[in-house]
Amino acid sequence: MFQNITPITKNIIILNVIVFILAMLIPQSYQYLAAFFPTSPYFKSWQIITHMFMHGGFMHIAFNMLTFASFGPVLERFLGEKKFVILYFLSGLGAFALFNLWEYYQLYQDAQPLIVEGLQFSDILKGDFEKFPVRLEGNAQNIVNILSTPMVGASGAIFGVIAAFSLLYPNAEMFIMFIPFPIKAKVLFPITIIVSLYLGFSGSGGNIAHFAHIGGALVGYILIKIWGRNRYRIN
């Protein structure tokens, strides 16, 4: 795998590993480089990019980088370096966008009892926590968690890469854990998206940002469709 790795894929992996090591040495970096909800008092504009290089632990980055090393080189050779970089980072931005749209919906639902009590939704979005009524602590705590828990990881961008690969190579056979036989990409990837949707809507997926995965995959899919239609006009 690694002896045939392509330049952009290799450099992105190296950058992820370097940032992960630095973050382990400087834990405060999560406060500045992980991505908070856009109206959170902890949000900074650069986080929409830097969060793609932050990870929550060794298994998180190991799984992401091994997956990226498996799919990235094939896609990079097919698309070329420029398009590959565009697809990767736009998929990461798409992941950030869809994840936070879902978080906004959750915020709005949790805010309803607080709004009935007279609190302005604009204050809730800004994280004016001192105004939250103590007796509505459950709803307030959910809102605090959304505004103060950052999003980290390259998974959204990588899902864009996997979606593009699955669209371009639908009959490629892949092995995944606990399944002893290969499954074609055109079968496996839709199943993965359906499972992500279920886990995202049901809230049973733990602390995994399932809607970020879907957002990244959606961007990867759209870009391949666009580039496919205009393949004779785009360099």
Side-chain angles (χ1 to χ4, degrees):
M1 179 193 301
F2 293 103
Q3 65 269 26
N4 296 319
I5 202 163
T6 45
I8 298 299
T9 301
K10 178 177 68 176
N11 289 334
I12 289 175
I13 291 174
I14 290 172
L15 186 55
N16 271 276
V17 171
I18 290 173
V19 172
F20 177 73
I21 293 171
L22 290 176
M24 295 294 288
L25 297 174
I26 312 171
Q28 299 91 332
S29 61
Y30 282 90
Q31 185 73 21
Y32 300 99
L33 301 180
F36 289 89
F37 188 80
T39 64
S40 167
Y42 309 117
F43 176 74
K44 307 295 181 185
S45 59
W46 57 77
Q47 293 172 357
I48 64 174
I49 298 296
T50 57
H51 83 275
M52 300 181 205
F53 299 96
M54 304 292 288
H55 287 84
F58 176 77
M59 291 305 297
H60 188 200
I61 188 172
F63 181 79
N64 274 352
M65 295 302 102
L66 285 171
T67 303
F68 186 50
S70 298
F71 293 96
V74 177
L75 198 62
E76 183 179 339
R77 292 188 188 99
F78 182 89
L79 294 177
E81 294 182 357
K82 180 181 177 181
K83 286 185 183 179
F84 182 69
V85 169
I86 291 171
L87 184 141
Y88 183 87
F89 283 101
L90 285 186
S91 295
L93 294 178
F96 175 83
L98 188 60
F99 173 76
N100 282 293
L101 280 174
W102 176 250
E103 293 290 89
Y104 179 87
Y105 171 77
Q106 298 286 87
L107 275 171
Y108 185 76
Q109 296 299 313
D110 286 323
Q112 294 311 301
L114 302 174
I115 293 172
V116 169
E117 290 293 315
L119 193 63
Q120 296 295 315
F121 189 49
S122 58
D123 290 330
I124 295 172
L125 287 176
K126 289 186 293 187
D128 200 344
F129 305 137
E130 294 182 359
K131 294 184 178 181
F132 290 4
V134 175
R135 64 190 181 85
L136 292 173
E137 185 176 339
N139 294 79
Q141 189 58 54
N142 290 340
I143 293 168
V144 169
N145 289 341
I146 290 174
L147 296 177
S148 60
T149 303
M151 170 187 178
V152 296
S155 301
I158 292 170
F159 259 72
V161 171
I162 298 172
F165 177 92
S166 299
L167 196 60
L168 293 169
Y169 303 98
N171 293 314
E173 295 186 333
M174 297 181 287
F175 285 91
I176 60 173
M177 290 186 296
F178 311 120
I179 299 180
F181 52 85
I183 302 177
K184 290 185 177 181
K186 64 183 179 183
V187 174
L188 179 60
F189 192 70
I191 291 174
T192 303
I193 295 300
I194 291 170
V195 171
S196 294
L197 281 169
Y198 170 76
L199 293 175
F201 280 118
S202 67
S204 57
N207 63 347
I208 298 174
H210 294 287
F211 283 102
H213 299 168
I214 296 165
L218 183 61
V219 171
Y221 179 89
I222 291 172
L223 285 177
I224 291 301
K225 284 293 188 181
I226 292 172
W227 287 336
R229 287 199 305 266
N230 300 288
R231 61 186 177 273
Y232 300 114
R233 289 186 283 156
I234 295 179
N235 295 322

